[in-house]
Amino acid sequence: MLNIKNLHASVDGVKILKGIDLEINAGEVHAIMGPNGSGKSTLASVIAGNEDFEVTEGDILFEKANISELSPEERAHKGIFLSFQYPIEIPGVSVTNFIKTSINQVRKSRGQKDMPANEMLKKIREKSALLDMDRKFLSRSLNEGFSGGEKKRNEIFQMAMLEPKLAILDETDSGLDIDALRIVSDGVNRLRNKGNATLVITHYQRLLDYVVPDVVHVLVDGKIVKTGGKELAKELEERGYDWLKEERAEMT
Amino acid sequence: MELKEKLMSSYLAFEEQVDMENDIHSERNKAIKFFESTGFPTKRMEAWKYTSLNSILKEDYSIFPKKEDAIDYKDIKKYLIHDIDTYTIVFIDGIYSSHLSRTTHDKLDACLMSSALNKSKYKSIMDKYFNKIVPEESMSSLNTAFAKEGAYIRIPKNVSAEKPIQILNFSTGNESALMIQPRNLIIAEDGSHVQIIERHQSLTDNPVLTNSVTEVYVGQNAEVDYYKIQNDKTTSSLIDNTFIKQERDSTCSLHTFSLGGKITRNNLRFYQHGQNCNSILKGVTILEGKQHVDHNTLVHHIEPNCESHQDYKGIFSEKSVGVFNGSILVDRLAQKTNAFQSNNNILLDDGATCNSKPQLEIFADDVKCSHGCTIGQLNNEALYYLRTRGIPKKEARALLMFAFANKVLGSVKIPEIKKRITKQIALKLEVELGFNL
């Protein structure tokens, strides 16, 4: 589904990604772990199409098509979703109206008519229940005054509504208490199916106890230095990242 | 002839139409003398630094329009809040139109200033309220000099007006250029409640200059909820002078929606004359072309334990100009004042201008006052966030602007107004919303 080849990216002339190769197939969950500043969030942003980052080399293929030049909205229309590490507060637009606009814009890009109001309402009810969200929550301004946990739940709610093919969860676990983490992970797990894929980006192993990855990659200094199964996450939890940094230093 | 000279000579003709024996007339005489000595405001005056009236003063305005009855309800319907039951006081070219109005004297007075000024039964009220809180300023004095017609609204003690009152001023274009000076008086006695909607609307592209004065008296524990809808043609200009006196425990909120007009100047002053008053001033301004809106506000905290909230948002495109000059004055006695002011602006084009000038004068030592003003572009992070959800750049920009302006609408208490303004804003910003308003 996603095929990244030799991806280099920089921001304001500073090189952050230095040759990433990554292949994710439908039905798989991949985790990317790594120390702070290793480029994890940059990778997420680059896949989602953030124009602040410049791709200097390499390609991103999504369902065999090169998407490197596409705008964020075009990527969303193709079925890529990014759950933000720090969701943006947008006062003045309610969660409901925002998601309606989002869904109908995606439908429009696919030549479909607006979703009928009753169908939309039903879907909103169903998906908000999945994430144990209060009805009042849906009429509040998007992310404004939300707690950390509420913001993350709202991200996964949007994901549930949009049903992307590829979901990238950028540090979705940071700032979550254990109950919120469980709700969010449950939501993510229930949305998994054979046709979609998930890329979990995290600093900690904790989330991976709930959303169990098929493949774990370790990103250090803009490169994937190690790839393994879910047990790699446990090893990192115990040993930290320093031994990998040393290995990487020796390699270069 | 210069407009000032024309007005001065018209005053003599005007005197022949009014009762010169009436006490009111001495107020008029005083006011015209003041106007004669000062003339129209110029940019040399601090309060008019960013707004020049020159471009609108050169028209040859008619001061005394002919009476015109040819306007039908269907011509004005779209400018009314017509989907709810209201009292309406309609003026056509400054002259009261009885067949378009629905006034009342039942439980409350929603009628005409000309009656209030002339009928003896209103004399004690006029003595108490007329021209008592209007400062000697060029434009308001000019209005006082020609004060003759407008809306007169009085809500007696403990009466809650069961429906909103609309004050509507239409100009027909029968005159090639028209100047009108409505004079409104609104008295909400102790414990009363009223909602008022005011609109000035030209029906043609002939130039119109409106210089209106509204005095609002909010009695003890009374509540006045006032909406000014300014969405006129780009050939019409408005100088709105509104003065509000609040007694203890009263609340007055005033929303100004400035969505169209050549030059619009809002002189808005709140005077808090009792403890525990709450004053709410909100504004949404969305302009394009060469339109110009100047909000000049003052909240004067005279007594302790009062609050005020000012929140003005502006979106300016093309060569439009916005001015916000917001003052908070806290007297030495006015301890425990809570006064807030915020003015946020978005400039969409290089040619658009915004001048924001907060002015706080605080003489008490135990108060909370805050102000903040921002002038900027749309938040790029927010734009990116919306785009990752599949909302294209153009729609995302529009949605963000809509959200920005929409923030002020939360405090609008009449749902029909909220809906209408929301729609108007969406239309202006060309927002293709994925939801029904």
Side-chain angles (χ1 to χ4, degrees), chain A residues 46-61:
Chain A
V46 170
I47 300 171
N50 190 331
E51 289 159 357
D52 290 345
F53 297 90
E54 197 191 346
V55 174
T56 50
E57 214 181 315
D59 287 315
I60 307 170
L61 303 180

Side-chain angles (χ1 to χ4, degrees), chain A residues 3-22 38-39 42-47 50-61 66 68-69 75 219-224 248 252:
Chain A
N3 206 332
I4 294 177
K5 291 176 187 162
N6 190 31
L7 184 68
H8 291 251
S10 56
V11 60
D12 297 330
V14 180
K15 284 184 183 171
I16 304 204
L17 300 183
K18 300 167 182 170
I20 303 259
D21 291 290
L22 181 65
S38 58
T42 299
L43 178 61
S45 298
V46 170
I47 300 171
N50 190 331
E51 289 159 357
D52 290 345
F53 297 90
E54 197 191 346
V55 174
T56 50
E57 214 181 315
D59 287 315
I60 307 170
L61 303 180
N66 193 337
S68 305
E69 298 296 317
R75 298 182 198 207
L219 192 66
V220 175
D221 192 23
K223 277 191 91 121
I224 289 174
R248 162 102 168 114
T252 52

Side-chain angles (χ1 to χ4, degrees), chain A residues 199-217:
Chain A
L199 178 60
V200 181
I201 290 174
T202 182
H203 187 75
Y204 307 104
Q205 186 257 338
R206 194 177 63 151
L207 174 66
L208 304 180
D209 286 341
Y210 297 92
V211 181
V212 181
D214 301 299
V215 186
V216 175
H217 309 272

